[in-house]
Amino acid sequence: MDAPGKFEKPPVRPSPQPPEGCLAVAIRVPVRIVVLVLVVPVRLVWDGLVAGGRLLWRTVLRPVARAVFVWPWVALWRYIVVPLAKALGRLTKVLVVVPLVWLYRYVLTPVGHALAWIARQLGSGLAWVYARVLTPVGHACAWVLNGLAAGVAWVVGGVAAGVAWLGRYLFVVPAGWLYAWILTPVGHAIAWCGRGVVWLVKAVGTGVGVLLYWTARILLVLPAIGLWRWVLTPVGRVLAVVGREVWDALGHAWRIAGHISRAVGRVLGTLFRWIFVEPVSWVYRTILTPVGHVVRDLVLRPAAEAARAVGRVTRQVLTAARESARQARADFRRMVFGEPKVPRPVERREPMDDDTRTLGRSTTVLTKD
């Protein structure tokens, strides 16, 4: 068995840092001190603004944003759009879908079957006409047209052969003789003269170009190379070192300022807790809570009991007053209109005498003579 970790990759060693020059070492410490002094107040203000913004977002802006932007749309979707869409869906189904289905099933389908049957009958008739009438007529017309086309082609071929013979001996042969014995020598002479002129112009242009090249190189290129190599490159390197050190100092100072800001925040939080939170909590636990309990037990509870007793007495008095008023109205109605009639009870069972219905008789109390 292989040893554990045999196939593991070896740890990657960090690449060695290039050696730093004396200029970077001389600039680093004063730049970091100055940048730290300038960055610490900015970082403190920034952390304070961030903490205040987070508190403001959690306590004010997020609830307000939800109340203003989220919940109205949710309520609109839930209580207006969804019921309205359901109602429109049912209405569309009742007014559109069901009539269309009925129309397709009981009107369009029978009409389509009838039209298909008619089309099949017409197709059969047209196929018979095509096979028995149009096909023989077409074959006869094609035979006649083929004969006419053969005659026209023979005539046109003869005329074209005559025109080609005349064109060859009237135009092509004289044009070939003119090109071979006149235009070709003249063209060769003109080409030789053109090559000479081109060589002369190229030679003159090459000389002028070489002269301009060396003039521009001596007057412009070499001074520009010297300025770039001996002035701009060293100045750029120095500025790059200074910029890199300033950037590193800013990052380092920002991180240190963050630690200082967190420490100051912890100190301020601790002072706030010692100066305000803990005294207020102690006063609430040791003074306000017992006083509140005493006030609740000695004042609020008796007052609530007294209020409940007064309420019960008031309800009883009002109930008695309502009963008295109701009795007075009933006495006044009896005095003016008299006693109301008592309805007679209706006997809903069968009579219990000798004329009742029995099993041995076919008549009942309602059908007897």
Side-chain angles (χ1 to χ4, degrees):
M1 181 179 291
D2 295 334
K6 182 178 180 181
F7 299 100
E8 294 181 357
K9 294 182 179 179
V12 179
R13 296 181 179 180
S15 59
Q17 298 292 333
E20 298 179 347
C22 59
L23 180 62
V25 177
I27 291 174
R28 181 174 301 161
V29 175
V31 167
R32 288 194 175 185
I33 294 173
V34 174
V35 170
L36 180 62
V37 173
L38 295 176
V39 168
V40 168
V42 176
R43 182 60 188 263
L44 292 175
V45 174
W46 174 258
D47 290 339
L49 292 176
V50 169
R54 289 177 180 175
L55 179 63
L56 182 64
W57 169 253
R58 287 195 302 268
T59 57
V60 178
L61 295 179
R62 185 167 60 186
V64 170
R66 287 185 178 180
V68 173
F69 297 104
V70 177
W71 293 114
W73 293 104
V74 172
L76 178 66
W77 174 262
R78 184 176 298 173
Y79 299 108
I80 296 178
V81 175
V82 173
L84 185 60
K86 290 182 179 178
L88 288 176
R90 294 192 184 95
L91 188 62
T92 303
K93 181 178 180 181
V94 173
L95 296 180
V96 178
V97 177
V98 174
L100 288 178
V101 170
W102 182 89
L103 179 65
Y104 173 78
R105 183 176 297 173
Y106 298 104
V107 177
L108 296 180
T109 301
V111 171
H113 290 170
L115 292 177
W117 182 82
I118 294 172
R120 285 195 299 271
Q121 300 299 323
L122 290 176
S124 300
L126 292 176
W128 183 86
V129 171
Y130 175 79
R132 303 299 180 183
V133 178
L134 297 180
T135 300
V137 173
H139 289 171
C141 293
W143 183 79
V144 172
L145 292 176
N146 287 332
L148 292 177
V152 172
W154 183 78
V155 173
V156 170
V159 173
V163 172
W165 185 81
L166 292 175
R168 177 179 177 82
Y169 288 99
L170 292 179
F171 296 101
V172 176
V173 173
W177 183 83
L178 178 65
Y179 175 78
W181 299 102
I182 295 176
L183 296 180
T184 300
V186 173
H188 289 173
I190 294 173
W192 184 81
C193 294
R195 283 195 296 272
V197 172
V198 169
W199 179 83
L200 180 62
V201 172
K202 186 182 295 185
V204 174
T206 303
V208 174
V210 169
L211 180 62
L212 293 177
Y213 168 74
W214 283 105
T215 303
R217 181 178 178 82
I218 294 172
L219 296 179
L220 298 176
V221 177
L222 294 179
I225 292 174
L227 179 64
W228 172 262
R229 182 175 298 172
W230 304 109
V231 178
L232 296 180
T233 300
V235 172
R237 289 176 179 174
V238 171
L239 293 178
V241 171
V242 173
R244 184 176 66 251
E245 292 299 327
V246 170
W247 181 258
D248 294 339
L250 284 173
H252 185 69
W254 187 259
R255 290 190 294 273
I256 295 175
H259 293 292
I260 296 174
S261 175
R262 283 192 290 273
V264 172
R266 293 191 187 98
V267 170
L268 293 177
T270 304
L271 292 177
F272 179 75
R273 187 174 65 254
W274 289 350
I275 295 172
F276 182 76
V277 176
E278 291 186 358
V280 170
S281 177
W282 180 84
V283 169
Y284 177 78
R285 289 195 308 270
T286 58
I287 298 176
L288 296 180
T289 301
V291 171
H293 291 171
V294 171
V295 171
R296 182 191 62 189
D297 296 336
L298 299 180
V299 178
L300 297 179
R301 285 182 179 176
E305 293 293 336
R308 284 194 290 271
V310 170
R312 286 194 296 270
V313 172
T314 304
R315 286 194 297 272
Q316 292 175 0
V317 170
L318 292 176
T319 303
R322 284 196 295 271
E323 291 294 334
S324 300
R326 189 179 298 110
Q327 188 66 33
R329 288 196 299 272
D331 294 339
F332 179 76
R333 282 197 298 271
R334 282 196 300 271
M335 182 178 63
V336 175
F337 301 104
E339 291 291 338
K341 294 182 179 180
V342 179
R344 293 180 60 187
V346 179
E347 186 68 30
R348 298 185 181 274
R349 298 181 299 176
E350 291 185 358
M352 301 301 294
D353 53 2
D354 296 336
D355 295 331
T356 58
R357 180 179 178 180
T358 59
L359 295 176
R361 299 170 60 183
S362 61
T363 59
T364 61
V365 176
L366 299 178
T367 58
K368 68 179 180 178
D369 296 334

